[in-house]
Amino acid sequence: MPAVKSGKILVTGVNGFIAGWVAKELLEQGFSVRGTVRSIEKGEHIRKALAAYGDRLEFAVVQDITLPGAFDEAVKGVDAIAHLASPVSISAKDPDQLIRPALDGTTSILHSASAPGSSVKRIVHISSLAAVVDSRHQKPVIHTEADWNESDPAEVREKGKGATPIVMYRTSKVLAEKAAWELYREGREKSSIGWDLVTLCPPWTFGPTLGATTPADFTTAVATWFSICIKEEENPLLWSPGGSWTDVRDFAAATVLTLTKPEAGGERFIICRGPFYWKQWVSIVRRLLGKPESEGDQTYPDHEVTFDSQKSQDVLGVQYRDMEETAAFMIADFKANGWC
């Protein structure tokens, strides 16, 4: 399987939270980056945040990722692709608001990478644990890369617009990743592609937002963390199992490792530090800020749904930071910006 250890990498949706960190890690490792944005203005904050890397960061405008051929120009001359551009919304009214952009954006870039003369050797498609977790599994359950979310797509097929927005979102992640694997298998069978595929499935991803000028710039994950842990606003999530998480720096490092490791080709990876309760984060943050411990029970029930990320450690060599390291990193950034 081909690996990419130098050259130019296309990062789609580079102005996004995770994509910006992926671009930063690539630049730090000596790669050049071409990032796609919907307009030049959309990329200004990330250009400023990564200004130290000079002309090794360039931009390509792709106004509508769903159009056939949308990425034809952007993929020219790149050695690999990290595909992160995909809609994130928990307020959609129609499944197609999320499914069509996720699905068509994925197939569009894979077709562009398959054109005659393409120099692309590897494509890293960023999926989600939403494509892995399946509510039909008996609990407790430990999910692995072999698992697929079949229940949410079934609900969308049955209910259509009557499905909840979160089910629509999770379905979009499932269908986009499955489409990527289908196109990859077809291309290998026909010997019509010169690239291989890797997919990464992250959970809640926490860290500072590159180029943010106000907390209003935060993603849903970071905004929720800020609200609960820094502002300590009332939230029904506080005592509930929060799910699973990873540090954005670890995810960015994992993305680069999937490019440079030959054995990563054709593989699916769960990128996940572990499960959490929001109350755990609050307790750590209060301690780091020198505040008294909050009152209440500090014991946490076992999580019913967890994910096995051992494969990412064994094959890629990912080393995961703990909650205290990530909290300290975020607090330092918030303090530097006067937000806490």
Side-chain angles (χ1 to χ4, degrees):
M1 294 294 184
V4 181
K5 297 183 182 292
S6 63
K8 183 174 290 184
I9 313 300
L10 181 68
V11 178
T12 66
V14 73
N15 54 312
F17 166 53
I18 298 177
W21 280 97
V22 168
K24 185 176 189 297
E25 180 69 14
L26 285 163
L27 291 163
E28 286 183 354
Q29 297 301 322
F31 291 92
S32 295
V33 171
R34 178 182 296 158
T36 71
V37 289
R38 284 180 292 169
S39 68
I40 289 297
E41 293 73 24
K42 292 281 187 183
E44 278 307 303
H45 72 281
I46 200 69
R47 185 195 297 276
K48 291 177 182 177
L50 302 179
Y53 300 100
D55 60 7
R56 286 200 291 120
L57 173 64
E58 63 185 62
F59 294 88
V61 174
V62 179
Q63 293 181 331
D64 185 349
I65 67 172
T66 68
L67 296 178
F71 293 99
D72 283 357
E73 289 299 315
V75 303
K76 288 182 178 179
V78 302
D79 298 281
I81 297 169
H83 179 49
L84 295 98
S86 188
V88 178
S89 173
I90 54 172
S91 59
K93 305 296 184 184
D94 187 315
D96 280 348
Q97 286 180 253
L98 296 173
I99 293 172
R100 294 285 17 131
L103 191 57
D104 293 346
T106 297
T107 57
S108 177
I109 196 165
L110 266 58
H111 284 307
S112 294
S114 305
S118 170
S119 56
V120 176
K121 303 177 186 68
R122 177 163 290 176
I123 299 175
V124 182
H125 172 82
I126 309 306
S127 183
S128 168
L129 288 188
V132 176
V133 65
D134 193 321
S135 61
R136 294 182 296 187
H137 279 267
Q138 185 176 351
K139 299 177 179 62
V141 59
I142 301 174
H143 285 293
T144 72
E145 287 86 355
D147 293 318
W148 285 90
N149 179 353
E150 303 291 354
S151 55
D152 287 324
E155 184 172 335
V156 167
R157 287 193 299 271
E158 178 186 346
K159 297 181 179 179
K161 295 179 181 179
T164 63
I166 190 64
V167 167
M168 296 179 193
Y169 167 72
R170 290 195 295 248
T171 298
S172 75
K173 304 307 287 187
V174 178
L175 298 183
E177 187 185 353
K178 284 192 170 183
W181 283 117
E182 184 176 349
L183 285 173
Y184 170 62
R185 285 191 291 267
E186 288 179 0
R188 300 294 286 186
E189 289 171 3
K190 298 176 181 177
S191 300
S192 60
I193 58 174
W195 48 267
D196 64 10
L197 179 69
V198 185
T199 63
L200 302 182
C201 301
W204 287 83
T205 304
F206 299 128
T209 301
L210 293 174
T213 58
T214 167
D217 296 330
F218 295 162
T219 61
T220 298
V222 178
T224 304
W225 198 97
F226 183 76
S227 170
I228 293 176
C229 303
I230 301 297
K231 301 181 74 175
E232 295 194 19
E233 295 175 333
E234 288 293 325
N235 194 307
L237 293 175
L238 190 58
W239 282 103
S240 66
S244 293
W245 74 281
T246 199
D247 186 300
V248 69
R249 294 168 294 178
D250 296 338
F251 185 79
T255 305
V256 177
L257 286 166
T258 61
L259 293 173
T260 60
K261 299 272 188 179
E263 58 269 35
E267 297 291 341
R268 188 187 198 209
F269 295 95
I270 288 172
I271 307 297
C272 175
R273 174 60 174 87
F276 70 92
Y277 277 83
W278 284 106
K279 193 68 176 176
Q280 289 176 282
W281 284 111
V282 172
S283 179
I284 291 169
V285 169
R286 290 186 69 86
R287 184 170 68 254
L288 291 173
L289 291 175
K291 295 181 178 181
E293 283 286 341
S294 55
E295 296 181 2
D297 186 7
Q298 295 297 310
T299 62
Y300 307 99
D302 290 339
H303 290 261
E304 291 191 330
V305 178
T306 56
F307 299 87
D308 184 353
S309 61
Q310 191 62 45
K311 181 179 176 182
S312 69
Q313 298 171 67
D314 293 343
V315 178
L316 301 177
V318 178
Q319 297 181 3
Y320 291 101
R321 292 171 170 86
D322 61 24
M323 295 177 80
E324 189 142 337
E325 289 177 275
T326 300
F329 184 49
M330 296 177 76
I331 289 169
D333 180 76
F334 296 155
K335 282 184 174 181
N337 284 285
W339 297 331
C340 75

